[in-house]
Amino acid sequence: MDKIMKKKLPLVREEVSKEEARARIEAINEPYKLEILESIIERDPEAPITLYHVGDEWWDLCAGPHVEHTGQISPKAVDLQSVAGAYWRGDETKSMLTRIYGTAWENAAQLKAYKKALVEAKKRDHRVLGKKLDLFSIQEDAGGGLVFWHPKGSTVRRQMEDFWKDAHVEGGYELLYTPHIANLDLWKTSGHFDFYQEGMFDQLGTVYRYERSGTLHGLMRVRGFTQDDAHIFCLPEQLTDEIVGVLDLTESILSRFGFTEYQVMLSTRPDKSVGSDDIWDAATEALKGALERKGWDYSVDEGGGAFYGPKIDMKIRDAIGRTWQCSTVQCDFNLPERFDLEYVNSDSERLRPIMVHRAIFGSIERFFGILVESTAGDMPLWLAPVQLRLLPVTDQAQEWCRDLAKRARKMGLRVEVDRGSERLAKQIRNAEQARIPIMAVVGEAEMGSDTLAVRSRKAGDLGSLPVDNVLTLLQAASEQAIEMQEVDGFEMPPPKVVEAAVEQEE
């Protein structure tokens, strides 16, 4: 590669006919390249067929564009990363090939930053942290892509879902439950069968769909997942207001989990779609109007909409700068038409309502995975599976801690008691590694004064505090989604003054 870059070989674009491209590929006996050519022609018979030549040494079927010559690529900004087996075109029924992974950047500084980000991302891998923190597992014996939620992971998920439900009820939504499966005729009426019959799934709702084993990836790509869909039926004049309301709710929920930076995309009508031009124009203008009222910057993805309507997609930015597709707001004029939905207006006319289809998390599983990676498993206090761990330093303190834990649980707090079989330093280390936000040491002095020696994972030692204060502060912090030391009225206790007497030798 270095030699090729040093030669400054020109990259030349050549447009050829389908027949010429086919003849050249067959002449060099490249069956995989020929398959790609045929798929291009099948997708769009009028698509231009282009080849790119690297000097006189090599050519390939490629849409481009490329740099003018290989000398414009810095050898210090290119890195070969790994080699792995991969089924041709991701299909396990086809040949297994060898895939070489590489990356190229404008300069060495960008490559260095990228490699640093890769190291950080690896440390945050939700599959590794999920196992280390005992949150979830995917057991191949039961089926790939199916998630088993462990008690700690289930606790976090329950907090997520409870907050989501409360926020929706406050926002005027009505919650419901639907069957996991439905008659095929329903999907034919909706139009989903015509578009998705290859990977059809049955329709907070749990759904299942077939994903190739090679595409499965922890919680990010699974076969069974829970969507947080909602459908709003409204009048035409209410449409923009309803979309603004959805965007407000989305912003409120995402910010609770620490996601406050977004990339917003408005996707317009694709080539393969249903509905009239008037319907699409009205829907697109409603989405634009809502974004303008929010004052959000957005990009336009021409032709990137769903087959049934234009949409707004939101990508959230995590703690290390990566973006993740989560929320979507889709204006759907198709389903009310296909299901012949009507309402009667004030003039007794029967008219068609408008439907807004939206999701905020996208799926519980994927959002959970994103959250684990963004926080590196260090969940905020309100979400943490265990909010407080009591660390007894004597056998006598064990029962005292267990009684206190019962009292705390009745207040809605999530508390556990260390077994006390380790030295105190080890207990603290274990709690730190388990990402527990608050620890409290309990010995004879604490039992005698009804206090706790409190330590925060993020803020360090918080001093000796009365038990009632600690429980009240934890409860307030959990309700407000802040850290304990951030609660109004919290004051660090003054440091203890230790008096020592020194005997003078006579």
Side-chain angles (χ1 to χ4, degrees), residues 103-177:
T103 185
W105 298 82
E106 290 184 15
N107 54 58
Q110 288 180 346
L111 175 60
K112 183 179 179 181
Y114 170 73
K115 293 173 79 171
K116 182 180 179 181
L118 282 183
V119 172
E120 184 61 35
K122 187 175 181 180
K123 290 191 294 187
R124 294 168 177 260
D125 190 324
H126 75 281
R127 295 167 298 176
V128 175
L129 290 172
K131 182 176 181 180
K132 180 178 180 180
L133 300 177
D134 197 20
L135 301 175
F136 69 91
S137 63
I138 296 175
Q139 301 175 30
E140 295 300 324
D141 289 345
L146 302 176
V147 183
F148 286 77
W149 294 89
H150 297 193
K152 285 185 170 58
S154 296
T155 298
V156 177
R157 174 173 173 157
R158 188 172 69 252
Q159 303 309 310
M160 292 169 58
E161 291 181 350
D162 287 349
F163 171 72
W164 184 97
K165 290 174 183 177
D166 290 344
H168 279 75
V169 170
E170 281 184 27
Y173 284 75
E174 295 179 306
L175 306 182
L176 49 81
Y177 296 92

Side-chain angles (χ1 to χ4, degrees), residues 1 78-83 100-103 111 115:
M1 289 176 60
V78 176
D79 186 46
L80 295 181
Q81 299 169 293
S82 62
V83 177
I100 300 173
Y101 292 86
T103 185
L111 175 60
K115 293 173 79 171

Side-chain angles (χ1 to χ4, degrees), residues 213-261:
S213 59
T215 65
L216 298 174
H217 182 77
L219 297 178
M220 305 302 192
R221 192 83 179 244
V222 293
R223 288 177 175 151
F225 54 97
T226 305
Q227 294 178 307
D228 66 329
D229 280 349
H231 299 86
I232 302 168
F233 295 90
C234 62
L235 308 182
E237 60 269 24
Q238 297 171 324
L239 181 57
T240 301
D241 287 343
E242 289 296 337
I243 296 170
V244 170
V246 169
L247 296 178
D248 286 343
L249 180 62
T250 300
E251 185 177 24
S252 173
I253 288 177
L254 292 179
S255 63
R256 172 85 170 205
F257 293 90
F259 299 111
T260 57
E261 295 183 37

Side-chain angles (χ1 to χ4, degrees), residues 293-437:
R293 278 176 53 180
K294 286 291 292 180
W296 286 356
D297 294 331
Y298 66 93
S299 302
V300 177
D301 178 14
E302 296 291 351
F307 77 92
Y308 48 77
K311 61 179 181 173
I312 295 170
D313 287 324
M314 291 176 59
K315 292 182 178 180
I316 57 177
R317 189 177 301 279
D318 71 9
I320 58 174
R322 299 172 300 180
T323 57
W324 303 86
Q325 173 63 53
C326 286
S327 309
T328 186
V329 186
Q330 302 175 359
C331 195
D332 191 336
F333 288 84
N334 171 55
L335 287 183
E337 185 80 27
R338 296 181 74 102
F339 283 96
D340 196 25
L341 302 180
E342 293 180 333
Y343 69 95
V344 178
N345 70 4
S346 58
D347 296 323
S348 298
E349 298 174 307
R350 303 184 73 87
L351 301 175
R352 192 80 69 203
I354 295 171
M355 189 181 86
V356 177
H357 167 217
R358 46 110 292 192
I360 296 176
F361 290 150
S363 86
I364 295 288
E365 289 75 9
R366 188 167 180 274
F367 191 83
F368 186 98
I370 294 168
L371 185 64
V372 169
E373 295 203 0
S374 185
T375 62
D378 208 348
M379 296 288 181
L381 177 71
W382 77 276
L383 264 182
V386 177
Q387 297 171 306
L388 168 65
R389 180 178 286 181
L390 299 172
L391 311 178
V393 296
T394 65
D395 292 340
Q396 292 80 4
Q398 276 282 347
E399 187 171 350
W400 191 90
C401 287
R402 284 194 291 269
D403 290 340
L404 177 56
K406 289 179 184 178
R407 176 180 161 197
R409 291 184 195 114
K410 288 181 179 179
M411 296 175 64
L413 298 172
R414 300 184 292 281
V415 181
E416 67 180 23
V417 180
D418 191 284
R419 290 174 299 175
S421 57
E422 306 275 4
R423 295 172 63 87
L424 178 60
K426 180 65 172 175
Q427 290 186 48
I428 293 174
R429 177 173 171 77
N430 289 343
E432 292 275 4
Q433 291 181 334
R435 313 292 207 273
I436 294 175

Side-chain angles (χ1 to χ4, degrees), residues 5 7-13 52-55 65-73:
M5 285 182 262
K7 288 181 179 180
K8 298 184 179 180
L9 299 173
L11 277 79
V12 180
R13 180 182 185 274
Y52 271 85
H53 298 261
V54 182
H66 295 285
V67 294
E68 294 179 356
H69 60 81
T70 58
Q72 292 179 326
I73 304 169

